[in-house]
Short mmCIF file of all heavy atoms in Angstrom, two decimals:
data_model
loop_
_atom_site.label_atom_id
_atom_site.label_comp_id
_atom_site.label_asym_id
_atom_site.label_seq_id
_atom_site.Cartn_x
_atom_site.Cartn_y
_atom_site.Cartn_z
N GLY A 11 44.76 -84.83 -1.12
CA GLY A 11 44.37 -83.94 -0.03
C GLY A 11 45.44 -83.75 1.01
O GLY A 11 45.31 -82.89 1.89
N GLY A 12 46.51 -84.55 0.94
CA GLY A 12 47.63 -84.42 1.86
C GLY A 12 48.86 -83.89 1.14
O GLY A 12 48.74 -83.18 0.14
N VAL A 13 50.01 -84.26 1.64
CA VAL A 13 51.28 -83.78 1.06
C VAL A 13 52.27 -84.93 0.92
O VAL A 13 52.49 -85.68 1.88
CB VAL A 13 51.94 -82.68 1.94
CG1 VAL A 13 53.28 -82.28 1.37
CG2 VAL A 13 51.01 -81.47 2.03
N GLN A 14 52.82 -85.09 -0.28
CA GLN A 14 53.92 -86.02 -0.50
C GLN A 14 55.20 -85.21 -0.56
O GLN A 14 55.41 -84.42 -1.46
CB GLN A 14 53.73 -86.79 -1.81
CG GLN A 14 54.91 -87.70 -2.16
CD GLN A 14 55.11 -88.82 -1.12
OE1 GLN A 14 54.27 -89.68 -0.95
NE2 GLN A 14 56.24 -88.77 -0.44
N GLY A 15 56.05 -85.43 0.44
CA GLY A 15 57.32 -84.71 0.51
C GLY A 15 58.50 -85.62 0.29
O GLY A 15 58.41 -86.85 0.45
N VAL A 16 59.62 -85.02 -0.07
CA VAL A 16 60.90 -85.70 -0.17
C VAL A 16 61.91 -84.86 0.59
O VAL A 16 62.00 -83.65 0.40
CB VAL A 16 61.34 -85.90 -1.63
CG1 VAL A 16 62.74 -86.53 -1.70
CG2 VAL A 16 60.34 -86.74 -2.39
N TYR A 17 62.69 -85.50 1.48
CA TYR A 17 63.58 -84.80 2.39
C TYR A 17 64.95 -85.48 2.45
O TYR A 17 65.05 -86.70 2.31
CB TYR A 17 62.97 -84.76 3.79
CG TYR A 17 61.53 -84.28 3.80
CD1 TYR A 17 60.47 -85.18 3.70
CD2 TYR A 17 61.24 -82.93 3.87
CE1 TYR A 17 59.15 -84.74 3.67
CE2 TYR A 17 59.93 -82.46 3.83
CZ TYR A 17 58.89 -83.40 3.73
OH TYR A 17 57.60 -82.94 3.68
N THR A 18 65.98 -84.69 2.62
CA THR A 18 67.34 -85.18 2.75
C THR A 18 67.92 -84.69 4.08
O THR A 18 67.67 -83.58 4.50
CB THR A 18 68.21 -84.68 1.57
OG1 THR A 18 67.69 -85.20 0.35
CG2 THR A 18 69.65 -85.14 1.73
N HIS A 19 68.71 -85.55 4.71
CA HIS A 19 69.34 -85.17 5.97
C HIS A 19 70.68 -85.87 6.10
O HIS A 19 70.95 -86.90 5.46
CB HIS A 19 68.42 -85.54 7.14
CG HIS A 19 68.32 -87.03 7.37
ND1 HIS A 19 68.99 -87.67 8.40
CD2 HIS A 19 67.64 -88.00 6.72
CE1 HIS A 19 68.72 -88.97 8.35
NE2 HIS A 19 67.91 -89.18 7.33
N ALA A 20 71.52 -85.31 6.93
CA ALA A 20 72.82 -85.93 7.25
C ALA A 20 72.58 -87.05 8.24
O ALA A 20 72.03 -86.82 9.33
CB ALA A 20 73.78 -84.90 7.80
N SER A 21 72.96 -88.26 7.89
CA SER A 21 72.73 -89.43 8.74
C SER A 21 73.99 -89.76 9.54
O SER A 21 75.07 -89.99 8.98
CB SER A 21 72.34 -90.63 7.91
OG SER A 21 72.39 -91.82 8.66
N ASN A 22 73.85 -89.84 10.86
CA ASN A 22 74.97 -90.31 11.71
C ASN A 22 75.15 -91.81 11.55
O ASN A 22 76.27 -92.32 11.57
CB ASN A 22 74.70 -89.95 13.16
CG ASN A 22 74.76 -88.46 13.43
OD1 ASN A 22 75.57 -87.76 12.84
ND2 ASN A 22 73.91 -87.96 14.30
N ALA A 23 74.05 -92.54 11.42
CA ALA A 23 74.14 -94.01 11.31
C ALA A 23 74.91 -94.41 10.06
O ALA A 23 75.76 -95.30 10.11
CB ALA A 23 72.74 -94.62 11.30
N CYS A 24 74.59 -93.79 8.94
CA CYS A 24 75.18 -94.16 7.65
C CYS A 24 76.34 -93.29 7.23
O CYS A 24 76.97 -93.54 6.18
CB CYS A 24 74.10 -94.17 6.57
SG CYS A 24 72.76 -95.36 6.86
N SER A 25 76.64 -92.25 8.00
CA SER A 25 77.76 -91.35 7.71
C SER A 25 77.72 -90.79 6.29
O SER A 25 78.75 -90.72 5.58
CB SER A 25 79.09 -92.09 7.95
OG SER A 25 79.20 -92.51 9.28
N CYS A 26 76.52 -90.40 5.87
CA CYS A 26 76.34 -89.76 4.57
C CYS A 26 74.95 -89.12 4.57
O CYS A 26 74.20 -89.28 5.53
CB CYS A 26 76.47 -90.79 3.42
SG CYS A 26 75.17 -92.06 3.44
N ASP A 27 74.65 -88.40 3.50
CA ASP A 27 73.30 -87.86 3.37
C ASP A 27 72.34 -88.96 2.97
O ASP A 27 72.66 -89.80 2.12
CB ASP A 27 73.27 -86.75 2.32
CG ASP A 27 73.91 -85.46 2.81
OD1 ASP A 27 74.17 -85.34 4.04
OD2 ASP A 27 74.19 -84.59 1.98
N MET A 28 71.16 -88.97 3.58
CA MET A 28 70.11 -89.95 3.25
C MET A 28 68.84 -89.21 2.85
O MET A 28 68.56 -88.12 3.36
CB MET A 28 69.83 -90.85 4.45
CG MET A 28 70.98 -91.76 4.85
SD MET A 28 71.37 -93.04 3.63
CE MET A 28 69.96 -94.14 3.84
N THR A 29 68.09 -89.82 1.96
CA THR A 29 66.85 -89.22 1.45
C THR A 29 65.68 -90.15 1.73
O THR A 29 65.81 -91.36 1.67
CB THR A 29 66.97 -88.99 -0.09
OG1 THR A 29 68.05 -88.10 -0.34
CG2 THR A 29 65.68 -88.37 -0.64
N PHE A 30 64.54 -89.57 2.07
CA PHE A 30 63.32 -90.36 2.29
C PHE A 30 62.12 -89.59 1.78
O PHE A 30 62.12 -88.36 1.70
CB PHE A 30 63.14 -90.71 3.77
CG PHE A 30 62.91 -89.53 4.69
CD1 PHE A 30 61.61 -89.08 4.98
CD2 PHE A 30 63.99 -88.87 5.27
CE1 PHE A 30 61.42 -87.99 5.81
CE2 PHE A 30 63.79 -87.78 6.12
CZ PHE A 30 62.50 -87.33 6.39
N GLY A 31 61.08 -90.33 1.42
CA GLY A 31 59.79 -89.73 1.09
C GLY A 31 58.84 -89.90 2.26
O GLY A 31 58.88 -90.91 2.97
N LEU A 32 57.97 -88.92 2.47
CA LEU A 32 56.96 -88.98 3.52
C LEU A 32 55.66 -88.43 3.01
O LEU A 32 55.59 -87.27 2.57
CB LEU A 32 57.42 -88.20 4.76
CG LEU A 32 56.41 -88.20 5.92
CD1 LEU A 32 56.29 -89.57 6.54
CD2 LEU A 32 56.82 -87.15 6.97
N PHE A 33 54.61 -89.26 3.06
CA PHE A 33 53.26 -88.81 2.73
C PHE A 33 52.50 -88.54 4.02
O PHE A 33 52.43 -89.41 4.89
CB PHE A 33 52.50 -89.85 1.91
CG PHE A 33 51.05 -89.53 1.73
CD1 PHE A 33 50.66 -88.49 0.91
CD2 PHE A 33 50.07 -90.22 2.46
CE1 PHE A 33 49.30 -88.17 0.76
CE2 PHE A 33 48.73 -89.90 2.32
CZ PHE A 33 48.35 -88.86 1.47
N LEU A 34 51.94 -87.35 4.13
CA LEU A 34 51.11 -86.98 5.27
C LEU A 34 49.67 -86.82 4.78
O LEU A 34 49.41 -86.05 3.84
CB LEU A 34 51.57 -85.68 5.92
CG LEU A 34 52.93 -85.73 6.63
CD1 LEU A 34 53.35 -84.33 7.05
CD2 LEU A 34 52.86 -86.65 7.83
N PRO A 35 48.72 -87.53 5.38
CA PRO A 35 47.30 -87.42 4.96
C PRO A 35 46.70 -86.11 5.44
O PRO A 35 47.31 -85.40 6.26
CB PRO A 35 46.67 -88.63 5.65
CG PRO A 35 47.44 -88.76 6.91
CD PRO A 35 48.87 -88.43 6.52
N PRO A 36 45.52 -85.76 4.97
CA PRO A 36 44.90 -84.48 5.41
C PRO A 36 44.76 -84.35 6.90
O PRO A 36 44.89 -83.24 7.45
CB PRO A 36 43.51 -84.54 4.72
CG PRO A 36 43.70 -85.43 3.53
CD PRO A 36 44.71 -86.46 3.94
N GLU A 37 44.54 -85.48 7.62
CA GLU A 37 44.37 -85.41 9.08
C GLU A 37 45.60 -84.87 9.81
O GLU A 37 45.48 -84.42 10.96
CB GLU A 37 44.02 -86.81 9.61
CG GLU A 37 42.64 -87.29 9.28
CD GLU A 37 42.55 -87.92 7.89
OE1 GLU A 37 43.54 -87.83 7.12
OE2 GLU A 37 41.51 -88.50 7.56
N ALA A 38 46.76 -84.92 9.16
CA ALA A 38 47.98 -84.41 9.80
C ALA A 38 47.94 -82.90 10.01
O ALA A 38 48.73 -82.36 10.78
CB ALA A 38 49.20 -84.79 8.97
N ASP A 39 47.03 -82.22 9.32
CA ASP A 39 46.88 -80.78 9.53
C ASP A 39 46.33 -80.43 10.89
O ASP A 39 46.49 -79.30 11.37
CB ASP A 39 45.95 -80.17 8.45
CG ASP A 39 46.57 -80.17 7.07
OD1 ASP A 39 47.80 -80.27 6.98
OD2 ASP A 39 45.82 -80.07 6.09
N THR A 40 45.69 -81.40 11.54
CA THR A 40 45.02 -81.12 12.81
C THR A 40 45.59 -81.90 13.99
O THR A 40 45.15 -81.70 15.12
CB THR A 40 43.52 -81.39 12.71
OG1 THR A 40 43.30 -82.75 12.30
CG2 THR A 40 42.85 -80.45 11.68
N GLY A 41 46.53 -82.81 13.74
CA GLY A 41 47.11 -83.57 14.84
C GLY A 41 47.93 -84.75 14.36
O GLY A 41 47.93 -85.08 13.17
N PRO A 42 48.61 -85.40 15.27
CA PRO A 42 49.48 -86.53 14.91
C PRO A 42 48.70 -87.71 14.33
O PRO A 42 47.59 -88.01 14.77
CB PRO A 42 50.17 -86.93 16.24
CG PRO A 42 50.04 -85.72 17.09
CD PRO A 42 48.74 -85.07 16.71
N VAL A 43 49.29 -88.36 13.34
CA VAL A 43 48.64 -89.50 12.65
C VAL A 43 49.56 -90.73 12.78
O VAL A 43 50.77 -90.61 12.95
CB VAL A 43 48.39 -89.18 11.19
CG1 VAL A 43 47.36 -88.07 11.06
CG2 VAL A 43 49.67 -88.81 10.46
N PRO A 44 48.97 -91.94 12.69
CA PRO A 44 49.80 -93.16 12.71
C PRO A 44 50.72 -93.23 11.50
O PRO A 44 50.48 -92.57 10.47
CB PRO A 44 48.76 -94.28 12.66
CG PRO A 44 47.47 -93.67 13.02
CD PRO A 44 47.54 -92.24 12.59
N LEU A 45 51.74 -94.06 11.61
CA LEU A 45 52.78 -94.14 10.56
C LEU A 45 52.94 -95.57 10.07
O LEU A 45 53.12 -96.50 10.86
CB LEU A 45 54.14 -93.66 11.13
CG LEU A 45 55.33 -93.75 10.18
CD1 LEU A 45 55.13 -92.84 8.97
CD2 LEU A 45 56.61 -93.39 10.92
N LEU A 46 52.90 -95.73 8.75
CA LEU A 46 53.18 -97.01 8.09
C LEU A 46 54.49 -96.88 7.32
O LEU A 46 54.62 -96.03 6.45
CB LEU A 46 52.04 -97.40 7.13
CG LEU A 46 52.25 -98.63 6.27
CD1 LEU A 46 52.51 -99.89 7.13
CD2 LEU A 46 51.06 -98.85 5.34
N TRP A 47 55.46 -97.74 7.65
CA TRP A 47 56.75 -97.78 6.93
C TRP A 47 56.61 -98.67 5.69
O TRP A 47 56.01 -99.75 5.74
CB TRP A 47 57.83 -98.39 7.84
CG TRP A 47 58.17 -97.56 9.03
CD1 TRP A 47 57.42 -97.42 10.17
CD2 TRP A 47 59.35 -96.80 9.23
NE1 TRP A 47 58.06 -96.60 11.08
CE2 TRP A 47 59.26 -96.20 10.51
CE3 TRP A 47 60.47 -96.54 8.45
CZ2 TRP A 47 60.27 -95.39 11.02
CZ3 TRP A 47 61.49 -95.72 8.95
CH2 TRP A 47 61.36 -95.14 10.24
N TYR A 48 57.21 -98.21 4.58
CA TYR A 48 57.31 -99.05 3.38
C TYR A 48 58.78 -99.18 3.02
O TYR A 48 59.43 -98.19 2.64
CB TYR A 48 56.53 -98.44 2.21
CG TYR A 48 56.55 -99.34 0.99
CD1 TYR A 48 55.45 -100.14 0.67
CD2 TYR A 48 57.67 -99.42 0.18
CE1 TYR A 48 55.49 -100.98 -0.43
CE2 TYR A 48 57.72 -100.27 -0.92
CZ TYR A 48 56.63 -101.04 -1.21
OH TYR A 48 56.67 -101.88 -2.29
N LEU A 49 59.31 -100.39 3.13
CA LEU A 49 60.71 -100.65 2.79
C LEU A 49 60.78 -101.27 1.40
O LEU A 49 60.12 -102.27 1.12
CB LEU A 49 61.33 -101.61 3.82
CG LEU A 49 61.26 -101.18 5.28
CD1 LEU A 49 62.04 -102.15 6.15
CD2 LEU A 49 61.73 -99.75 5.48
N SER A 50 61.60 -100.69 0.55
CA SER A 50 61.69 -101.11 -0.85
C SER A 50 62.74 -102.20 -1.06
O SER A 50 63.53 -102.49 -0.18
CB SER A 50 61.98 -99.90 -1.73
OG SER A 50 60.88 -99.03 -1.79
N GLY A 51 62.74 -102.72 -2.29
CA GLY A 51 63.59 -103.86 -2.63
C GLY A 51 64.85 -103.49 -3.37
O GLY A 51 65.19 -102.31 -3.52
N LEU A 52 65.54 -104.51 -3.84
CA LEU A 52 66.81 -104.36 -4.54
C LEU A 52 66.70 -103.36 -5.69
O LEU A 52 65.72 -103.38 -6.45
CB LEU A 52 67.28 -105.72 -5.09
CG LEU A 52 67.81 -106.73 -4.09
CD1 LEU A 52 67.92 -108.09 -4.75
CD2 LEU A 52 69.16 -106.28 -3.55
N THR A 53 67.72 -102.54 -5.83
CA THR A 53 67.92 -101.52 -6.88
C THR A 53 67.04 -100.28 -6.67
O THR A 53 67.24 -99.28 -7.37
CB THR A 53 67.68 -102.05 -8.30
OG1 THR A 53 66.28 -102.19 -8.56
CG2 THR A 53 68.41 -103.38 -8.54
N CYS A 54 66.12 -100.30 -5.73
CA CYS A 54 65.21 -99.17 -5.55
C CYS A 54 65.83 -98.05 -4.72
O CYS A 54 66.73 -98.27 -3.92
CB CYS A 54 63.92 -99.63 -4.86
SG CYS A 54 62.87 -100.68 -5.87
N THR A 55 65.30 -96.84 -4.90
CA THR A 55 65.55 -95.71 -4.03
C THR A 55 64.26 -95.44 -3.26
O THR A 55 63.32 -96.22 -3.32
CB THR A 55 65.96 -94.47 -4.83
OG1 THR A 55 64.81 -94.00 -5.57
CG2 THR A 55 67.09 -94.77 -5.80
N HIS A 56 64.21 -94.28 -2.57
CA HIS A 56 62.98 -93.88 -1.91
C HIS A 56 61.84 -93.66 -2.91
O HIS A 56 60.66 -93.73 -2.58
CB HIS A 56 63.20 -92.55 -1.15
CG HIS A 56 63.41 -91.41 -2.10
ND1 HIS A 56 64.62 -91.18 -2.74
CD2 HIS A 56 62.56 -90.45 -2.55
CE1 HIS A 56 64.51 -90.13 -3.53
NE2 HIS A 56 63.28 -89.66 -3.42
N GLU A 57 62.21 -93.40 -4.18
CA GLU A 57 61.23 -92.91 -5.16
C GLU A 57 60.38 -94.01 -5.79
O GLU A 57 59.22 -93.77 -6.16
CB GLU A 57 61.96 -92.14 -6.27
CG GLU A 57 61.04 -91.44 -7.24
CD GLU A 57 61.79 -90.60 -8.24
OE1 GLU A 57 63.02 -90.76 -8.38
OE2 GLU A 57 61.13 -89.77 -8.89
N ASN A 58 60.90 -95.23 -5.93
CA ASN A 58 60.20 -96.24 -6.69
C ASN A 58 58.81 -96.53 -6.15
O ASN A 58 57.81 -96.42 -6.86
CB ASN A 58 61.02 -97.54 -6.72
CG ASN A 58 62.33 -97.37 -7.45
OD1 ASN A 58 63.25 -96.74 -6.91
ND2 ASN A 58 62.45 -97.92 -8.64
N ALA A 59 58.72 -96.91 -4.90
CA ALA A 59 57.42 -97.21 -4.30
C ALA A 59 56.58 -95.95 -4.16
O ALA A 59 55.34 -96.00 -4.29
CB ALA A 59 57.58 -97.89 -2.96
N MET A 60 57.20 -94.83 -3.93
CA MET A 60 56.50 -93.57 -3.76
C MET A 60 55.69 -93.25 -5.01
O MET A 60 54.59 -92.68 -4.91
CB MET A 60 57.52 -92.47 -3.48
CG MET A 60 56.94 -91.15 -3.01
SD MET A 60 58.24 -89.93 -2.66
CE MET A 60 58.68 -89.40 -4.33
N THR A 61 56.20 -93.63 -6.19
CA THR A 61 55.53 -93.30 -7.44
C THR A 61 54.81 -94.48 -8.09
O THR A 61 53.98 -94.28 -8.97
CB THR A 61 56.53 -92.72 -8.45
OG1 THR A 61 57.58 -93.68 -8.70
CG2 THR A 61 57.14 -91.42 -7.95
N LYS A 62 55.11 -95.74 -7.65
CA LYS A 62 54.57 -96.91 -8.33
C LYS A 62 53.67 -97.81 -7.49
O LYS A 62 52.95 -98.64 -8.05
CB LYS A 62 55.73 -97.77 -8.87
CG LYS A 62 56.57 -97.12 -9.93
CD LYS A 62 57.69 -98.10 -10.36
CE LYS A 62 58.57 -97.47 -11.43
NZ LYS A 62 59.63 -98.44 -11.83
N ALA A 63 53.71 -97.69 -6.18
CA ALA A 63 53.00 -98.64 -5.33
C ALA A 63 51.52 -98.30 -5.12
O ALA A 63 50.80 -99.10 -4.54
CB ALA A 63 53.70 -98.76 -3.98
#
Side-chain angles (χ1 to χ4, degrees):
V13 176
Q14 176 64 64
V16 176
Y17 310 92
T18 298
H19 70 104
S21 167
N22 291 323
C24 298
S25 299
C26 64
D27 287 346
M28 295 292 288
T29 300
F30 65 92
L32 179 68
F33 171 72
L34 291 173
E37 288 84 350
D39 290 340
T40 57
V43 294
L45 177 63
L46 174 59
W47 294 75
Y48 183 101
L49 305 186
S50 290
L52 287 167
T53 76
C54 291
T55 69
H56 69 281
E57 187 175 15
N58 296 73
M60 191 179 78
T61 58
K62 295 180 180 180

